[in-house]
Amino acid sequence: MNNFMGILEMKVLPVANKIGSQRHLLAIRHGVLATLPLTIIGSFFVILLNFPINGYDEWIAPYRAALDVPFRFTVGAMALYAAFGVGSALAGHYKLDQLSAGLLSVLAFLITCVVPTQVMESVPGVIEAGRWLPISSLSAASLFGAIVTSLISVEIFHFLIKRDIKIKLPESVPPMVSNSFAALIPTLVVVLLFWGIRYGLGFDINSIITTLVSPLKNLLVGNSLIGGLLTVFLIVFFWSLGIHGPAILGPIIRPMWDSAILENMDAFARTGNAANLPNLFTEQFIQWFVWIGGAGSTLSLVVLFLFSKSKYLKELGKLSFVPGIFNINEPIIFGAPIVMNPILMVPFIIAPLVNVIVSYTFFQLGLIPMIMAKLPFTVFSPIAAVISTNWTIMAGVLVLLNFFISLMIYFPFFKMFEKQHLRDENKIEEGPEEKKAGIKYA
């Protein structure tokens, strides 16, 4: 086991750390995460529009159109916000003007994705004749196109600025003005490039990227049990090495997670039916039904620590319980520690995988509808599960079931770990008494 841990530390850790610090992947992770407040607020309005109470639909009908507006301008335009976030984040790495880079990224994405539509005749009460910009393509379906166009735009910006290909103004000019003029040539290049590709060559970058990513997205965040198990395994595996699992996988899986839950939210907003939504393995599926107390389903281990005979483990359980209720488990991961611990690493990996299989079975049997909302990760899991599945009580029952399954998986490993700590604590306590008795140590 020690040899195996040594190999992981020498071979896997450096590669994982290198991937996690790659500038483009970091920009994707930071840029997409920046949209989190928008998706959460959008989720609240989805929930508000669809309370499962008799007569609620009739009561809210006069206000439905107005209440739908925040959802449309948060979740419905998510790719637009992500384009700005990713471009700004990458520009920060290059020490470029982040505001200019963010706007340049949005411009490139809009040229690539939004095709102006000419309406020849007015339809009274619906649309006026004229040239319109459809916003339906700004939703989660275009998220990957937004990411790619943003990265390319900022790389062009960086290439030109680095080689001093820019309009220079005297040093006395305020930085805000000089930065705007410095971005003129990069803006022209980006406009000509993406305009030429989209309208000159007739090449739809957004559509091609979405098509290329679809197989991987369908595997990891669609309805594939293998994909769900693979995602969970990789996250807890990296965590067990002391590496923030989502930080490594985030640049790849985060856009897919966000796209998946946004597709579910959009479908639910249109139909009001949570049973037939497109994606099962969203981040929220893992958050509420698998990560009970945090990655590794560690709340069960915290509860075991609370009743431990070991003083240290009991105190650690007390310190970790409240954070664990709110799905924050760094105290237990690094305090026990679980990291690089050959005893606790095993249930830390096995328990979530079992939870995935049990939860998948419940969903496939139709006992629980699909997830239709994105709540903050700090919401207590049973409550969040009920709300996120359109107020389904069985979802809360499943969380409790998975908690007890995790408890049983952790228990034998906890007893082994507790035995080690008790032995060490007894040695410490016996030391002074033995000295008093005149015992001499060689």
Side-chain angles (χ1 to χ4, degrees), residues 19-20 24-30 32-33 144 147 231 235 238 244-258 283:
I19 293 173
H24 298 98
L25 297 182
L26 279 175
I28 294 171
R29 180 158 63 94
H30 294 159
V32 174
L33 272 176
F144 296 101
I147 290 170
T231 301
I235 291 174
F238 282 120
H244 195 291
I248 299 296
L249 297 179
I252 299 171
I253 195 68
R254 170 67 56 191
M256 296 182 186
W257 272 342
D258 286 349
E283 181 184 17

Side-chain angles (χ1 to χ4, degrees), residues 4 22 46 65 193 223 228 240 256 260 293 307 332:
F4 175 68
Q22 206 280 331
V46 172
L193 174 65
N223 300 299
S240 66
M256 296 182 186
F307 297 95
I332 194 76

